Amino acid sequence: MKLFRLVHKQVASTLMDNPATGCSFAQNLPFIYGYDAIPTAVLESPVYRSLAKILPVLYVVEYILPEYSPIKRIMSASNIYGDFRTSNDYLGPWVKFFLNDCQELAAAFPSKHFFWADINNYIINPNHKMFKHVKIGKIYQLARSHDNS
């Protein structure tokens, strides 16, 4: 399975040596956001929230998960996404339980923006025993065009 992640230059340059570089955290538990397509990564990645200024150049990274990786399917629920009004949590409390349980390498959950479509977002657990088999594929430079013509 191939998933995509949006990162900035400092993270992209170190991912071949350590695929967990620049991961996100849920109550001190690391995880990596993944998306099933590059446009979804661009539209839904929290990297835009974490930067004070959107950089003119970002990178898209291919994560290649081993065949038959165990994936937990999180179905539609009201607590998939956190409450922006009360905290910085992008995802709800289920993430902590998923990461602590450590039974699956990844969790798939419905898109926040395209909930009506069959589009999943993912989190990858770098503490899962199969994470050592996750490979970094291509790293693409994603440059925003400044040409308004």
Side-chain angles (χ1 to χ4, degrees):
M1 168 186 255
K2 188 183 294 186
L3 296 176
F4 299 92
R5 177 182 176 201
L6 196 62
V7 300
H8 52 81
K9 184 178 184 176
Q10 291 78 8
V11 171
S13 65
T14 62
L15 284 170
M16 290 298 191
D17 294 329
N18 182 2
T21 300
C23 63
S24 297
F25 289 90
Q27 297 186 1
N28 296 322
L29 297 169
F31 69 92
I32 298 163
Y33 282 102
Y35 303 91
D36 55 8
I38 293 172
T40 308
V42 171
L43 291 171
E44 301 215 8
S45 176
V47 75
Y48 285 125
R49 275 191 314 104
S50 65
L51 298 173
K53 178 180 176 185
I54 296 176
L55 302 174
V57 177
L58 289 170
Y59 292 82
V60 176
V61 180
E62 292 179 350
Y63 277 77
I64 303 168
L65 279 61
E67 197 171 337
Y68 307 112
S69 294
I71 297 178
K72 182 178 187 78
R73 302 284 174 191
I74 307 294
M75 304 314 281
S76 179
S78 61
N79 65 349
I80 288 178
Y81 292 95
D83 185 350
F84 289 108
R85 295 169 300 170
T86 60
S87 70
N88 257 346
D89 291 340
Y90 186 70
L91 296 172
W94 66 270
V95 173
K96 179 183 82 167
F97 298 109
F98 165 75
L99 296 170
N100 273 328
D101 190 35
C102 214
Q103 294 298 308
E104 295 91 3
L105 176 60
F109 56 97
S111 161
K112 183 171 189 157
H113 299 99
F114 305 105
F115 55 88
W116 44 265
D118 188 23
I119 296 174
N120 284 314
N121 295 337
Y122 296 81
I123 60 171
I124 304 167
N125 187 350
N127 288 328
H128 190 274
K129 62 186 175 191
M130 286 186 69
F131 186 76
K132 64 184 174 195
H133 302 292
V134 171
K135 304 291 183 214
I136 298 296
K138 295 179 183 174
I139 298 177
Y140 305 89
Q141 182 176 334
L142 181 68
R144 295 185 305 151
S145 172
H146 295 288
D147 182 12
N148 294 329
S149 55

